[in-house]
Amino acid sequence: MFRAGGMSVIDLLQGLVKEALAGAVKAGEVVLAEIPEPRLERPRDPAHGDWATNVAMQTAKAARMAPRAVAEIVARRIAGHPDIASVEVAGAGFINIRLSAHALQRVLREARERGTDFGRLDIGAGRRIQVEFVSANPVGPMHVGHGRWAALGDSMARVLAHAGWSVQREFYVNDRGVQMDVFAKSVAARYLELCGRDVEFPEEGYRGAYITEIAREILADEGEEWADAEPSAREEHFREKAYAQVLAHLQHVLHGMGVDFDIWFSERTLHIPAEDGGPSAVERALARLKDAGHLYEHEGALWFRSTAFGDDKDRVLKKADGSYTYFAADIAYHADKYDRGFDRVIDIWGADHHGYVKRMEAAVAALGHEGKLTVVIGQLVNLFRGGEVVRMSKRTGEMVTFEDLLDEVGPDAARYFFLRRSTDQALDFDIALAKEQSSDNPVYYVQYAHARICAILRKAAGADTADTSVDIAATAAALMRDDAPLHLLDSEPELALMRKLTEFPDVVEVAARQLAPNKLTRYAEDLAASFHQFYTQCRVVDPDDIELTAARLYAVDATRIALATVLGLVGVSAPDRM
RNA sequence: GCCCUCGUAGCUCAGUGGAUAGAGCGUCUGCCUCCGGAGCAGAAGGCCACAGGUUCGAAUCCUGUCGAGGGCACCA
């Protein structure tokens, strides 16, 4: 693991510990065939130091020594380094390390100098990764779960990019199949009703009011000419009109939350013949599996032997009637992804699709890309309003859509709440809380810290603290002194703030590796808390102490940059004023 | 019935095999002559669902039981 740009604190410590252990081995104090990569962590209890490593426990067995004995040897070799204030051996063999104020102060320069690149890593090494998410059927409005998956996918994409991957966002459009037909029939039925015709609404049709809206628009645009048209022609025409309208709507709503896709991939294109008239993508994918010996025929259908790759049962790809299953198209779709050169593919699916994971992994393995697909299961969202469950009826189509929610709580609160829970947890979303502008609402807590910093900067620049016309970046740049005496920052709240800032690159790494954007919101709240504590105890702008003011302004601005950066990864705005 | 995910403070949830298991909300008590009180400090609150196992060490890994949600089509 290495990081673009400067060396982070954790890298420094890891290097120190490893060097110390290697030195001990070389000197014959410890006998080890292999030096492990030491793991550093922030202890929960501050009495255990700033950082701790359990490397002595990891190696004690192989070295045939007591863990504490190994720890003592390593500790002795680290002590005395200018970045280390103290080293202690504790407990079963932990090595507790306290950083010198000097080492902590360096993170402020790192943040200031790197700006929005603070915490940027190179663990992706420029490799290409695709995140496919939302992929809602273009037959109606998105539900709230789609909104959560949109926030998840987009934030994952952001944090992966920050970790050095080359990221593409993709939306798979299921624009063929039974649902599209039902959709078309539903619109046609409403249209005929509007024309005063006596029609029976399809039993399994979509009953949402939006269907009538679409029908009404077609009627306004094209009149009643379709009422007497041949039914199949009418349905095909309506399907395309309605599809285009819904797709545009999906794009509009997602854009409203700051989620924009690079590619909208049409399922239909997988079924049309190649440009040279050759076989379709689906046919090519099946041929590939067939050549590799993974297909067989049974009872008139063509099957994929997915059980050979860990699936529960084999799956049909081509039905007895000659048509392809959805799964066949999905295999072709994934084959296409890898053909496009992605080193890794992430699919975010709703919890209702988790039964589909094994077969998809089996297919990807059969195509020769084992291990390059990660399916993330996004759990659903339960809506509450002031503690009361918001009831929805699928039958009547009455529901609170994602768009409704976005209109009511706004994109910042929506995204922040969607990301606060781990991905595999069902989410209880309280609309009343998300709208509340108080400390009960974590998104405001974090944004308030940022706005508060901006107010301090305005104050320091001699402007009114509430003057919105002040350009914060320019103000900060003008105020900061490269020679600010950072060594004055040695009180506990100041040190705590700097310690928290040193964690940021690590948070980015963990969030990217675990595909866990909820680590970002948690960190944002921790950092905001550290700042608020600092603010309460440390007066920043003090005309009687120019030097301390310069140093604290430097720390405050480093915090502003870190807050803005982490909020950027979450996809939430960092307001100058609230 | 089989498969997947989840059971952690009154509530909502963090917790990458490590030390006395954490946060927010809620409850109770304090803090504004001072840069934004949308803030800060403190108190109370736990058999990490249960039972075994793995090891120096388990909320975390394995097995079983109980409970919650979801999935089990030649649908998409």
Side-chain angles (χ1 to χ4, degrees):
Chain A
M1 166 186 58
F2 68 105
R3 304 189 140 90
M7 192 188 232
S8 78
V9 171
I10 194 165
D11 290 333
L12 170 96
L13 292 176
Q14 223 167 13
L16 271 179
V17 171
K18 192 169 184 179
E19 215 170 281
L21 192 58
V25 168
K26 205 168 182 182
E29 297 168 37
V30 177
V31 181
L32 272 181
E34 206 180 330
I35 313 287
E37 200 61 31
R39 296 229 340 261
L40 270 295
E41 59 174 28
R42 293 290 316 271
R44 281 195 250 273
D45 186 343
H48 296 143
D50 299 333
W51 294 87
T53 177
N54 63 347
V55 73
M57 286 116 104
Q58 288 179 323
T59 55
K61 203 166 191 178
R64 307 175 68 88
M65 290 173 73
R68 286 192 66 109
V70 179
E72 292 290 353
I73 290 166
V74 173
R76 204 178 318 124
R77 285 174 169 269
I78 302 173
H81 188 281
D83 288 333
I84 304 297
S86 73
V87 186
E88 296 168 6
V89 175
F94 290 98
I95 302 170
N96 293 336
I97 300 167
R98 235 171 272 277
L99 289 170
S100 66
H102 174 74
L104 286 171
Q105 288 147 9
R106 252 195 337 247
V107 77
L108 302 180
R109 296 201 186 280
E110 191 185 334
R112 283 275 316 140
E113 283 162 14
R114 300 194 65 196
T116 51
D117 278 341
F118 180 48
R120 183 174 288 281
L121 312 178
D122 198 24
I123 53 180
R127 284 172 294 168
R128 298 185 63 212
I129 189 166
Q130 185 207 56
V131 186
E132 182 220 317
F133 57 110
V134 186
S135 300
N137 292 328
V139 297
M142 288 176 285
H143 56 67
V144 180
H146 287 124
R148 183 182 189 191
W149 308 329
L152 271 174
D154 189 61
S155 189
M156 276 182 203
R158 287 171 191 238
V159 76
L160 284 166
H162 209 66
W165 290 86
S166 170
V167 185
Q168 189 204 59
R169 294 163 175 80
E170 184 153 311
F171 187 116
Y172 183 47
V173 188
N174 299 128
D175 53 5
R176 74 189 293 279
V178 176
Q179 301 193 44
M180 288 295 285
D181 294 337
V182 172
F183 178 44
K185 283 184 168 59
S186 305
V187 174
R190 293 301 186 211
Y191 173 87
L192 291 172
E193 281 173 18
L194 290 171
C195 295
R197 306 299 170 95
D198 191 23
V199 284
E200 197 170 324
F201 195 77
E203 184 147 348
E204 297 299 319
Y206 300 134
R207 293 173 186 276
Y210 70 96
I211 295 285
T212 311
E213 281 308 307
I214 293 171
R216 204 186 306 279
E217 282 185 39
I218 293 175
L219 181 62
D221 284 355
E222 305 183 28
E224 297 192 12
E225 62 170 290
W226 290 98
D228 296 311
E230 200 269 316
S232 65
R234 177 171 59 221
E235 273 165 31
E236 183 174 341
H237 178 73
F238 281 24
R239 182 170 57 225
E240 296 315 303
K241 289 278 287 192
Y243 164 38
Q245 209 167 330
V246 171
L247 191 62
H249 176 76
L250 298 181
Q251 292 173 334
H252 169 76
V253 172
L254 288 163
H255 178 75
M257 197 172 73
V259 177
D260 295 291
F261 289 86
D262 301 301
I263 305 276
W264 295 76
F265 193 101
S266 159
E267 182 188 353
R268 287 179 187 176
T269 61
L270 297 168
H271 292 273
I272 60 176
E275 280 172 27
D276 60 5
S280 70
V282 172
E283 287 159 348
R284 290 197 306 274
L286 264 55
R288 243 168 101 175
L289 292 177
K290 190 170 193 176
D291 291 346
H294 300 308
L295 303 188
Y296 63 92
E297 291 196 24
H298 176 66
E299 290 181 349
L302 186 62
W303 295 68
F304 167 43
R305 194 174 286 108
S306 56
T307 49
F309 298 92
D311 195 8
D312 303 327
K313 51 188 276 195
D314 291 343
R315 309 290 173 177
V316 170
L317 299 185
K318 191 175 189 179
K319 302 180 223 174
D321 68 5
S323 63
Y324 294 104
T325 60
Y326 178 83
F327 183 43
D330 223 353
I331 291 175
Y333 176 42
H334 281 75
D336 183 81
K337 293 187 186 199
Y338 295 106
D339 287 348
R340 280 186 271 159
F342 290 108
D343 300 296
R344 224 183 134 193
V345 166
I346 295 171
D347 290 355
I348 301 179
W349 295 348
D352 52 344
H353 283 71
H354 87 249
Y356 200 76
V357 175
K358 273 189 187 171
R359 78 188 72 166
M360 199 68 247
E361 286 173 346
V364 167
L367 288 167
H369 299 294
E370 187 162 15
K372 284 159 67 176
L373 171 69
T374 304
V375 180
V376 174
I377 294 299
Q379 292 289 333
L380 300 163
V381 177
N382 304 309
L383 273 187
F384 290 79
R385 192 183 291 277
E388 293 289 312
V389 180
V390 177
R391 305 240 170 248
M392 295 190 229
S393 163
K394 201 166 192 175
R395 191 184 54 78
T396 61
E398 287 306 312
M399 59 184 258
V400 176
T401 66
F402 171 37
E403 186 183 22
D404 296 336
L405 183 75
L406 214 46
D407 286 346
E408 188 164 357
V409 309
D412 280 352
R415 287 188 75 131
Y416 197 92
F417 274 73
F418 283 144
L419 294 183
R420 249 185 126 220
R421 297 289 171 247
S422 49
T423 311
D424 51 11
Q425 286 276 352
L427 174 72
D428 289 338
F429 192 113
D430 195 313
I431 296 172
L433 176 59
K435 283 170 72 176
E436 197 166 322
Q437 303 200 0
S438 79
S439 58
D440 294 355
N441 189 338
V443 64
Y444 284 99
Y445 180 82
V446 176
Q447 289 183 319
Y448 179 64
H450 186 269
R452 205 177 210 187
I453 288 172
C454 294
I456 295 171
L457 295 175
R458 286 189 287 263
K459 170 88 176 179
D464 188 288
T465 55
D467 183 351
T468 48
S469 68
V470 175
D471 181 311
I472 289 300
T475 304
L479 282 169
M480 294 307 128
R481 276 172 44 194
D482 287 339
D483 65 342
L486 301 184
H487 64 274
L488 297 175
L489 305 173
D490 59 358
S491 72
E492 191 42 44
E494 290 164 327
L495 296 173
L497 180 60
M498 292 187 284
R499 280 188 206 106
K500 190 52 73 179
L501 288 169
T502 64
E503 286 178 34
F504 184 57
D506 218 39
V507 170
V508 172
E509 185 188 336
V510 171
R513 205 179 58 229
Q514 297 182 8
L515 302 174
N518 63 308
K519 308 274 182 195
L520 300 172
T521 53
R522 177 154 289 266
Y523 177 75
E525 287 165 46
D526 285 350
L527 180 58
S530 292
F531 170 73
H532 287 310
Q533 287 154 23
F534 158 84
Y535 174 89
T536 307
Q537 295 172 70
C538 301
R539 171 96 199 166
V540 177
V541 181
D542 181 359
D544 295 332
D545 196 338
I546 306 292
E547 291 305 297
L548 185 59
T549 296
R552 285 182 171 167
L553 279 174
Y554 205 96
V556 158
D557 198 50
T559 307
R560 175 183 67 87
I561 287 163
L563 280 171
T565 305
V566 69
L567 284 174
L569 295 179
V570 171
V572 168
S573 68
D576 292 354
R577 140 162 218 272
M578 295 169 71

